Amino acid sequence: MNRKAVALRRRNTFIAVIDGNETHRRQIQAAFTSFYPTAPYSDAGQALADFQKAVPGVLMVDIDIPPFGGCDFVRQVRRLEAMANVPVVLVAKEERDARSAAVECGADAYLVKPFRRSMAIRTISGLLNKSIERQWDALPPPQRQILRRTKDVFDQISDVAGTDIPVDYPGVIAACLPLVDAVAKDDFRDILAAVNDHDDYTYVHSLKTSIGLALFGRAIGLPSVDMELLAVGGLLHDVGKMAIAYEILNKPGKLTPKEFAVMKTHVELSASILENNHSVARGVVIIAGQHHELLDGSGYPNGLAGSQLNELARMASIVDIFGALTDRRAYKDPMSPETALAVMADMSGKLDQQLLSMFREVFLDSGLGRGHELSEDGSFPSDNMGCIAVTRSRTSSA
């Protein structure tokens, strides 16, 4: 599947939730808030009628859906030519019922109520990205371990977002240590290539920001312990986005003032989630809380300026903006790395130009802004590193 087809698939992906219990439907919708749009159905007949007009990416089917039950519904779905290969997740209250029913009707996976948010996300993402994640198995063990462990950590964080449960910080550090080692050995490019077409935008962006900050730290001669802090900070800096609606995160057009106000809350949410664990390094919290601040005070959430901005935040904002400019998203086409760096050089009052100069030297050869290679449609492929758009279509974004 070429990049253009992948991009089209992403835009069309939604999760159809067929469940007669309104509370369950709302809970599932909430679980996927920032990951996928959902279409809830209480009636199987209406769902079948709608599927002839719009094909979902995945079906989540309750075993007791009226009027004829989940298994019979899945069989009817499979008779629709367009739905024959759509992955199905069967949901039941008992492990034995879910497992046997899934086998009986040919569902691709099952979940048992009540299930963790991370389990639902992992199941759906695994089905949608099955071919991509299967390719990870062909990578050397260190790279494969980095991808599996960072993805698991990221999924698990979805369980603590919005709760009083602290982030498993030792687990995050353990996942990032092999990544720092890969950066130190200049052995990270296969990792970047392996996630290019993964549809979990926030995970891909965070992983690439983690690699980018660690590489930045190596370039300016920081010791390994500081590179670890940068890698962890990059992986965790946007965890607050798990509370932002998919429709806002991926809106094709310019955000309204109200939507942008919602988008900006992800910074304080990220810092709040991290501060809930007192063992999280202060530098990690600073990266999360200040990566949208700019030297002239025009950033957010606090409008910090000049010397008020920590050097970690200055580095993070450079990595973030570069990623946003070189990234393909629903609301913009990507820039080449060279063009992006030229745009950033013109932001002299907003970005630390000395750090930007260091960034330029190391990143054009790193593969992080892989705009050097054109995709089949002649455009620059996505890197999903960034979340601030400095473009005409969206001059201020997440």
Side-chain angles (χ1 to χ4, degrees):
M1 183 181 293
N2 63 35
R3 293 184 185 279
K4 190 172 183 179
V6 169
L8 181 62
R9 174 179 66 81
R10 286 171 173 169
R11 287 197 294 272
N12 292 339
T13 296
F14 67 95
I15 311 303
V17 181
I18 302 92
D19 194 315
N21 186 303
E22 182 178 2
T23 299
H24 293 164
R25 292 197 305 273
R26 288 181 177 176
Q27 289 173 342
I28 292 172
Q29 283 184 281
F32 293 125
T33 291
S34 65
F35 294 90
Y36 303 103
T38 56
Y41 292 94
S42 60
D43 179 81
Q46 185 61 56
L48 284 170
D50 286 357
F51 294 163
Q52 298 184 55
K53 305 171 187 174
V55 178
V58 176
L59 297 182
M60 288 192 70
V61 182
D62 187 83
I63 196 172
D64 296 320
I65 183 69
F68 35 74
C71 283
D72 197 26
F73 173 76
V74 174
R75 295 188 190 97
Q76 293 191 49
V77 163
R78 294 301 193 204
R79 296 188 191 112
L80 299 175
E81 183 177 356
M83 297 289 293
N85 297 313
V86 173
V88 174
V89 179
L90 204 63
V91 181
K93 296 179 181 178
E94 299 290 338
E95 170 83 21
R96 183 174 58 183
D97 293 342
R99 183 172 59 250
S100 61
V103 171
E104 178 188 347
C105 68
D108 300 270
Y110 67 85
L111 290 169
V112 179
K113 298 179 182 177
F115 46 80
R116 289 180 178 271
R117 183 187 186 195
S118 60
M119 181 59 70
I121 293 167
R122 185 179 294 112
T123 299
I124 296 298
S125 178
L127 291 171
L128 288 172
N129 296 285
K130 187 174 182 179
S131 62
I132 294 169
E133 293 189 9
R134 185 180 294 157
Q135 294 173 20
W136 296 357
D137 294 332
L139 293 172
Q143 287 91 336
R144 182 170 67 244
Q145 179 190 46
I146 288 167
L147 290 164
R148 296 292 183 195
R149 294 182 72 174
T150 54
K151 184 63 169 67
D152 284 346
V153 162
F154 213 76
D155 289 343
Q156 289 165 13
I157 290 173
S158 66
D159 287 331
V160 307
T163 74
D164 292 329
I165 303 172
V167 169
D168 176 16
Y169 191 56
V172 179
I173 294 175
C176 286
L177 288 177
L179 185 150
V180 172
D181 186 57
V183 170
K185 294 177 179 177
D186 202 29
D187 193 20
F188 56 86
R189 289 173 181 79
D190 285 346
I191 300 169
L192 297 174
V195 295
N196 262 342
D197 292 327
H198 201 287
D199 73 356
D200 188 338
Y201 289 114
T202 305
Y203 164 66
V204 175
H205 154 66
S206 298
L207 177 64
K208 292 192 173 187
T209 301
S210 179
I211 293 173
L213 281 171
L215 190 59
F216 206 166
R218 187 192 74 174
I220 63 177
L222 294 182
S224 60
V225 65
D226 290 333
M227 287 176 61
E228 291 166 14
L229 185 149
L230 287 166
V232 172
L235 191 65
L236 298 182
H237 79 291
D238 260 351
V239 292
K241 281 190 174 179
M242 294 183 185
I244 307 298
Y246 177 94
E247 289 74 17
I248 292 179
L249 286 174
N250 297 278
K251 184 178 178 180
K254 184 178 180 179
L255 296 177
T256 67
K258 184 177 181 180
E259 289 169 336
F260 186 51
V262 172
M263 179 69 89
K264 289 194 295 185
T265 64
H266 83 272
V267 175
E268 291 174 306
L269 287 169
S270 297
S272 177
I273 290 169
L274 299 178
E275 287 174 333
N276 197 33
N277 185 331
H278 299 301
S279 67
V280 173
R282 186 60 191 164
V284 171
V285 179
I286 287 173
I287 290 171
Q290 295 187 18
H291 71 279
H292 281 292
E293 302 284 2
L294 299 169
L295 288 175
D296 63 358
S298 64
Y300 65 87
N302 298 311
L304 301 180
S307 61
Q308 294 177 306
L309 272 177
N310 187 284
E311 187 174 58
L312 292 173
R314 298 179 187 214
M315 294 169 66
S317 67
I318 287 171
V319 175
D320 203 43
I321 292 174
F322 179 76
L325 295 174
T326 57
D327 176 31
R328 179 188 302 282
R329 293 303 302 269
Y331 47 80
K332 72 175 190 69
D333 290 328
M335 289 183 184
S336 71
E338 293 82 0
T339 302
L341 287 167
V343 169
M344 294 169 73
D346 287 338
M347 299 173 65
S348 58
K350 298 179 182 295
L351 300 177
D352 186 315
Q353 293 297 307
Q354 183 176 358
L355 286 174
L356 179 61
S357 178
M358 297 177 185
F359 177 94
R360 176 192 296 273
E361 294 300 318
V362 67
F363 278 75
L364 281 179
D365 294 326
S366 71
L368 284 173
R370 196 172 288 279
H372 315 329
E373 302 170 10
L374 294 179
S375 61
E376 293 184 18
D377 63 358
S379 60
F380 290 99
S382 168
D383 252 3
N384 294 303
M385 267 185 57
C387 56
I388 298 180
V390 187
T391 67
R392 294 187 180 184
S393 62
R394 187 177 294 179
T395 55
S396 58
S397 176

